[in-house]
Amino acid sequence: MYDSVIDVLVVGAGPYGLSVGAYAHHAGLRVRVIGTPMDFWRNHMPAGMYLKSEPFASSLGSPVAGLTFTEYNGGWPEGLPIPLHTFVSYGQWFAEQAVPEPEPSQVLRVEGDPGRVYTVTLSTGEEVRARAVVMAVGVGPFAHVPRRLASLPTALVTHSVVHREFDRFAGKEVVVVGAGQSALETAVLLADCGARPVVLARTPQLAWNSLPGRTGSLLQALLRGPQSGLGRGWRTWLWSERPQTVRYLPARTRRNIVKNTLGPAGAWWLRDRLDSRVGRMLGRHVVDAAPHGDRVRLIVEDRRGDRTEVRADHVIAATGYVPDVDRISALPPELRRRLRRTHTSPALDAHFQSSLPGLYFAGLTAAATFGPVMRFVHGADFAARRIVGHLAETVGAGTARQDKPAAPHDATMVR
């Protein structure tokens, strides 16, 4: 008979949560993954979008062969953009193969005695006791709206994360704030739906990622550096493939790396679609925003200090995500106060464990410790391996193993 305490509970069933769940199950740990697989990607990403990452960098973390994105459903050619629905289907298939029955509920509260047992309250009313908890909450809680826009009513301003469809903006003037992939693709999708979008950004010129693949001579390829999950270049390869090195750098250096690696840019395949249907106001930023009847009035300023008034029906802030443990509602205030932090993120050890023993963080919340790869799917395998390797040595070692299911041996099916 099992005792009433499981080894690990995973909060979230996106790429990081599913990867941790797969590794934990394969290691023979008693694990429960709470969340509907790929729910955020399916319901909070715009229909019609494509992934920016290349196929080889779009795999969830698996402890066995046969479960990468490029092996799913007969494979996917490099250089062909991945539709959102294809990636969602891959994630759901991965969950079916590798993760023991993710539970479509929500975690309401995590509390207890760090280092001993956590009590986790689910939306079903059940209380689960676990020796370790992995917070893999994704990016949803951390949607960032700039201060000058945040004071507007939600009828006039929204973050890009809330939009799956854009049909309601047909015939409307919409200002999209930002210069990254989310902003540029949002503007294109708005235009496809008959809206009149304008991209408003601080940058004086939009940046575009180059077409992947090796070009030029061998010397040119060496100078450009290797291709990695985050792109091409020697430093990029280091942050992408050896994220453990980032942790040894000073906190300010780590913040600069996260901020400046892979800055705002559009995917190469989107460039031709950002055509004359999309207006551009570059080299400008918002200095004031206020309702004007049922519309919004913006005052924008250029680099010379000259100001212009802009009126629109709506503003979409495609302004990214800022991790902040105080925005994780499942962690009660008394628990959050005890967390050691790096700025607004949890400070983590080499195994993604926070200053509270048994409480781990994966994904965007780990970027302040392990660098920019934690902002992307490509970091999921490294995080899952590190977390579960530590759990197997600590939590797993202290549990009666004879009552646990044996780790599976099939190379492709690990349920």
Side-chain angles (χ1 to χ4, degrees):
M1 293 289 293
Y2 290 146
D3 62 27
S4 59
V5 182
I6 65 171
D7 292 322
V8 56
L9 182 139
V10 181
V11 184
Y16 280 81
L18 293 175
S19 299
V20 172
Y23 270 93
H25 181 57
H26 187 258
L29 297 175
R30 284 175 284 178
V31 56
R32 290 176 67 174
V33 177
I34 308 302
T36 301
M38 305 300 286
D39 179 71
F40 179 84
W41 289 80
R42 185 173 64 251
N43 293 315
H44 294 277
M45 294 291 184
M49 74 164 273
Y50 289 78
L51 268 66
K52 189 179 182 182
S53 59
E54 296 300 317
F56 77 91
S58 302
S59 297
L60 276 63
S62 172
V64 297
L67 298 179
T68 66
F69 177 78
T70 53
E71 294 169 300
Y72 166 64
N73 199 27
W76 193 267
E78 293 295 330
L80 183 66
I82 303 169
L84 172 66
H85 65 83
T86 299
F87 182 66
V88 169
S89 295
Y90 161 68
Q92 293 170 328
W93 170 81
F94 180 97
E96 292 172 357
Q97 307 304 310
V99 184
E101 299 180 357
E103 302 171 39
S105 58
Q106 292 181 313
V107 170
L108 300 182
R109 190 174 179 88
V110 178
E111 53 192 343
D113 186 4
R116 297 180 65 85
V117 175
Y118 288 90
T119 300
V120 182
T121 304
L122 307 183
S123 57
T124 59
E126 181 186 4
E127 289 189 347
V128 184
R129 299 173 70 220
R131 293 182 174 86
V133 174
V134 179
M135 304 299 298
V137 297
V139 301
F142 311 121
H144 172 67
V145 177
R147 178 176 55 85
R148 297 191 188 280
L149 296 175
S151 60
L152 291 170
T154 54
L156 296 177
V157 64
T158 48
H159 191 276
S160 56
V161 73
V162 307
H163 296 289
R164 175 153 177 79
E165 305 285 349
F166 295 97
D167 293 342
R168 71 183 180 94
F169 295 112
K172 304 287 187 180
E173 294 177 314
V174 182
V175 173
V176 181
V177 179
Q181 175 70 6
S182 177
L184 302 181
E185 192 166 22
T186 294
V188 167
L189 293 173
L190 282 164
D192 289 346
C193 290
R196 300 193 298 277
V198 174
V199 171
L200 173 65
R202 289 178 179 269
T203 180
Q205 185 175 354
L206 297 177
W208 298 94
N209 297 131
S210 59
L211 183 70
R214 175 178 159 181
T215 58
S217 66
L218 177 60
L219 176 60
Q220 289 173 323
L222 288 173
L223 291 174
R224 290 182 63 198
Q227 182 74 26
S228 70
L230 297 187
R232 185 174 292 279
W234 290 103
R235 284 200 302 175
T236 302
W237 178 88
L238 186 64
W239 311 147
S240 172
E241 309 306 320
R242 298 293 185 271
Q244 65 269 28
T245 60
V246 179
R247 182 175 161 270
Y248 294 104
L249 300 173
R252 179 177 295 182
T253 302
R254 296 198 304 266
R255 286 199 300 271
N256 288 335
I257 290 171
V258 172
K259 179 180 179 181
N260 297 318
T261 301
L262 296 181
W268 60 270
W269 47 262
L270 184 65
R271 190 167 190 167
D272 290 342
R273 293 178 62 192
L274 195 81
D275 50 27
S276 59
R277 300 173 302 162
V278 179
R280 306 183 190 193
M281 296 190 70
L282 305 180
R284 297 174 172 87
H285 65 280
V286 177
V287 295
D288 189 42
H292 186 80
D294 59 354
R295 306 184 81 211
V296 61
R297 172 180 172 270
L298 304 177
I299 303 298
V300 302
E301 184 177 282
D302 64 19
R303 296 191 172 191
R304 296 187 302 271
D306 295 334
R307 296 187 172 187
T308 305
E309 179 181 298
V310 179
R311 297 185 184 183
D313 295 295
H314 196 81
V315 177
I316 295 179
T319 43
Y321 304 86
V322 178
D324 185 346
V325 293
D326 286 331
R327 298 181 69 176
I328 303 178
S329 60
L331 296 179
E334 58 271 21
L335 207 61
R336 298 198 301 267
R337 282 194 295 268
R338 297 168 61 187
L339 281 172
R340 189 164 59 86
R341 306 189 188 195
T342 297
H343 196 43
T344 58
S345 298
L348 306 177
D349 68 11
H351 311 288
F352 290 77
Q353 185 174 219
S354 71
S355 57
L356 300 181
L359 183 62
Y360 299 75
F361 289 83
L364 182 62
T365 51
T369 300
F370 290 95
V373 73
M374 295 299 135
R375 295 161 40 200
F376 300 92
V377 173
H378 187 64
D381 186 75
F382 175 82
R385 280 189 287 111
R386 279 294 176 104
I387 292 170
V388 175
H390 190 244
L391 288 172
E393 293 176 357
T394 54
V395 171
T399 304
R401 308 300 295 178
Q402 64 269 23
D403 291 333
K404 291 188 177 183
H409 300 288
D410 193 306
T412 57
M413 296 290 286
V414 297
R415 290 196 68 176

PDB file of all heavy atoms in Angstrom, residues 380-393:
ATOM      1  N   ALA A 380      13.284  23.041 -21.581  1.00  0.00           N
ATOM      2  CA  ALA A 380      12.502  22.123 -20.747  1.00  0.00           C
ATOM      3  C   ALA A 380      13.263  20.849 -20.407  1.00  0.00           C
ATOM      4  O   ALA A 380      13.156  20.325 -19.293  1.00  0.00           O
ATOM      5  CB  ALA A 380      11.180  21.782 -21.440  1.00  0.00           C
ATOM      6  N   ASP A 381      14.026  20.308 -21.340  1.00  0.00           N
ATOM      7  CA  ASP A 381      14.727  19.059 -21.072  1.00  0.00           C
ATOM      8  C   ASP A 381      15.792  19.248 -19.997  1.00  0.00           C
ATOM      9  O   ASP A 381      15.898  18.434 -19.071  1.00  0.00           O
ATOM     10  CB  ASP A 381      15.359  18.517 -22.355  1.00  0.00           C
ATOM     11  CG  ASP A 381      15.979  17.145 -22.148  1.00  0.00           C
ATOM     12  OD1 ASP A 381      15.218  16.167 -22.066  1.00  0.00           O
ATOM     13  OD2 ASP A 381      17.222  17.051 -22.052  1.00  0.00           O
ATOM     14  N   PHE A 382      16.577  20.314 -20.096  1.00  0.00           N
ATOM     15  CA  PHE A 382      17.610  20.572 -19.090  1.00  0.00           C
ATOM     16  C   PHE A 382      16.986  20.736 -17.708  1.00  0.00           C
ATOM     17  O   PHE A 382      17.453  20.152 -16.727  1.00  0.00           O
ATOM     18  CB  PHE A 382      18.403  21.822 -19.464  1.00  0.00           C
ATOM     19  CG  PHE A 382      19.405  22.229 -18.418  1.00  0.00           C
ATOM     20  CD1 PHE A 382      20.644  21.627 -18.357  1.00  0.00           C
ATOM     21  CD2 PHE A 382      19.091  23.218 -17.486  1.00  0.00           C
ATOM     22  CE1 PHE A 382      21.569  21.988 -17.385  1.00  0.00           C
ATOM     23  CE2 PHE A 382      20.003  23.583 -16.511  1.00  0.00           C
ATOM     24  CZ  PHE A 382      21.253  22.968 -16.458  1.00  0.00           C
ATOM     25  N   ALA A 383      15.929  21.530 -17.628  1.00  0.00           N
ATOM     26  CA  ALA A 383      15.284  21.757 -16.335  1.00  0.00           C
ATOM     27  C   ALA A 383      14.733  20.467 -15.751  1.00  0.00           C
ATOM     28  O   ALA A 383      14.921  20.167 -14.561  1.00  0.00           O
ATOM     29  CB  ALA A 383      14.167  22.794 -16.492  1.00  0.00           C
ATOM     30  N   ALA A 384      14.052  19.673 -16.568  1.00  0.00           N
ATOM     31  CA  ALA A 384      13.452  18.430 -16.065  1.00  0.00           C
ATOM     32  C   ALA A 384      14.515  17.448 -15.602  1.00  0.00           C
ATOM     33  O   ALA A 384      14.363  16.791 -14.559  1.00  0.00           O
ATOM     34  CB  ALA A 384      12.581  17.804 -17.154  1.00  0.00           C
ATOM     35  N   ARG A 385      15.601  17.328 -16.366  1.00  0.00           N
ATOM     36  CA  ARG A 385      16.676  16.413 -15.964  1.00  0.00           C
ATOM     37  C   ARG A 385      17.278  16.825 -14.628  1.00  0.00           C
ATOM     38  O   ARG A 385      17.528  15.982 -13.756  1.00  0.00           O
ATOM     39  CB  ARG A 385      17.759  16.381 -17.047  1.00  0.00           C
ATOM     40  CG  ARG A 385      17.425  15.490 -18.234  1.00  0.00           C
ATOM     41  CD  ARG A 385      18.607  15.309 -19.159  1.00  0.00           C
ATOM     42  NE  ARG A 385      18.876  16.506 -19.941  1.00  0.00           N
ATOM     43  CZ  ARG A 385      19.941  17.282 -19.800  1.00  0.00           C
ATOM     44  NH1 ARG A 385      20.840  17.009 -18.865  1.00  0.00           N
ATOM     45  NH2 ARG A 385      20.118  18.332 -20.574  1.00  0.00           N
ATOM     46  N   ARG A 386      17.549  18.120 -14.466  1.00  0.00           N
ATOM     47  CA  ARG A 386      18.160  18.596 -13.237  1.00  0.00           C
ATOM     48  C   ARG A 386      17.229  18.398 -12.030  1.00  0.00           C
ATOM     49  O   ARG A 386      17.638  17.944 -10.963  1.00  0.00           O
ATOM     50  CB  ARG A 386      18.515  20.073 -13.374  1.00  0.00           C
ATOM     51  CG  ARG A 386      19.818  20.359 -14.112  1.00  0.00           C
ATOM     52  CD  ARG A 386      21.000  19.834 -13.296  1.00  0.00           C
ATOM     53  NE  ARG A 386      22.260  19.997 -13.977  1.00  0.00           N
ATOM     54  CZ  ARG A 386      23.173  20.933 -13.684  1.00  0.00           C
ATOM     55  NH1 ARG A 386      22.931  21.793 -12.706  1.00  0.00           N
ATOM     56  NH2 ARG A 386      24.308  20.986 -14.340  1.00  0.00           N
ATOM     57  N   ILE A 387      15.982  18.787 -12.208  1.00  0.00           N
ATOM     58  CA  ILE A 387      15.027  18.693 -11.100  1.00  0.00           C
ATOM     59  C   ILE A 387      14.813  17.252 -10.676  1.00  0.00           C
ATOM     60  O   ILE A 387      14.917  16.907  -9.488  1.00  0.00           O
ATOM     61  CB  ILE A 387      13.687  19.346 -11.495  1.00  0.00           C
ATOM     62  CG1 ILE A 387      13.858  20.864 -11.653  1.00  0.00           C
ATOM     63  CG2 ILE A 387      12.601  19.036 -10.466  1.00  0.00           C
ATOM     64  CD1 ILE A 387      12.662  21.558 -12.272  1.00  0.00           C
ATOM     65  N   VAL A 388      14.522  16.386 -11.631  1.00  0.00           N
ATOM     66  CA  VAL A 388      14.200  15.000 -11.283  1.00  0.00           C
ATOM     67  C   VAL A 388      15.440  14.248 -10.826  1.00  0.00           C
ATOM     68  O   VAL A 388      15.351  13.376  -9.942  1.00  0.00           O
ATOM     69  CB  VAL A 388      13.510  14.299 -12.469  1.00  0.00           C
ATOM     70  CG1 VAL A 388      13.286  12.814 -12.176  1.00  0.00           C
ATOM     71  CG2 VAL A 388      12.176  14.985 -12.773  1.00  0.00           C
ATOM     72  N   GLY A 389      16.604  14.576 -11.372  1.00  0.00           N
ATOM     73  CA  GLY A 389      17.824  13.951 -10.874  1.00  0.00           C
ATOM     74  C   GLY A 389      18.018  14.215  -9.392  1.00  0.00           C
ATOM     75  O   GLY A 389      18.384  13.321  -8.627  1.00  0.00           O
ATOM     76  N   HIS A 390      17.731  15.432  -8.967  1.00  0.00           N
ATOM     77  CA  HIS A 390      17.853  15.784  -7.554  1.00  0.00           C
ATOM     78  C   HIS A 390      16.761  15.118  -6.725  1.00  0.00           C
ATOM     79  O   HIS A 390      17.021  14.612  -5.619  1.00  0.00           O
ATOM     80  CB  HIS A 390      17.797  17.301  -7.397  1.00  0.00           C
ATOM     81  CG  HIS A 390      18.156  17.777  -6.018  1.00  0.00           C
ATOM     82  ND1 HIS A 390      17.259  18.426  -5.197  1.00  0.00           N
ATOM     83  CD2 HIS A 390      19.313  17.674  -5.316  1.00  0.00           C
ATOM     84  CE1 HIS A 390      17.852  18.720  -4.051  1.00  0.00           C
ATOM     85  NE2 HIS A 390      19.091  18.275  -4.090  1.00  0.00           N
ATOM     86  N   LEU A 391      15.537  15.110  -7.250  1.00  0.00           N
ATOM     87  CA  LEU A 391      14.435  14.468  -6.528  1.00  0.00           C
ATOM     88  C   LEU A 391      14.701  12.977  -6.323  1.00  0.00           C
ATOM     89  O   LEU A 391      14.408  12.420  -5.260  1.00  0.00           O
ATOM     90  CB  LEU A 391      13.127  14.662  -7.288  1.00  0.00           C
ATOM     91  CG  LEU A 391      12.530  16.068  -7.284  1.00  0.00           C
ATOM     92  CD1 LEU A 391      11.343  16.146  -8.235  1.00  0.00           C
ATOM     93  CD2 LEU A 391      12.108  16.471  -5.877  1.00  0.00           C
ATOM     94  N   ALA A 392      15.256  12.326  -7.335  1.00  0.00           N
ATOM     95  CA  ALA A 392      15.533  10.895  -7.228  1.00  0.00           C
ATOM     96  C   ALA A 392      16.561  10.611  -6.135  1.00  0.00           C
ATOM     97  O   ALA A 392      16.505   9.571  -5.466  1.00  0.00           O
ATOM     98  CB  ALA A 392      16.015  10.344  -8.563  1.00  0.00           C
ATOM     99  N   GLU A 393      17.502  11.546  -5.949  1.00  0.00           N
ATOM    100  CA  GLU A 393      18.546  11.360  -4.944  1.00  0.00           C
ATOM    101  C   GLU A 393      18.077  11.727  -3.534  1.00  0.00           C
ATOM    102  O   GLU A 393      18.632  11.239  -2.551  1.00  0.00           O
ATOM    103  CB  GLU A 393      19.765  12.212  -5.284  1.00  0.00           C
ATOM    104  CG  GLU A 393      20.487  11.770  -6.551  1.00  0.00           C
ATOM    105  CD  GLU A 393      21.634  12.707  -6.898  1.00  0.00           C
ATOM    106  OE1 GLU A 393      21.811  13.715  -6.166  1.00  0.00           O
ATOM    107  OE2 GLU A 393      22.338  12.434  -7.872  1.00  0.00           O
TER     108      GLU A 393
END
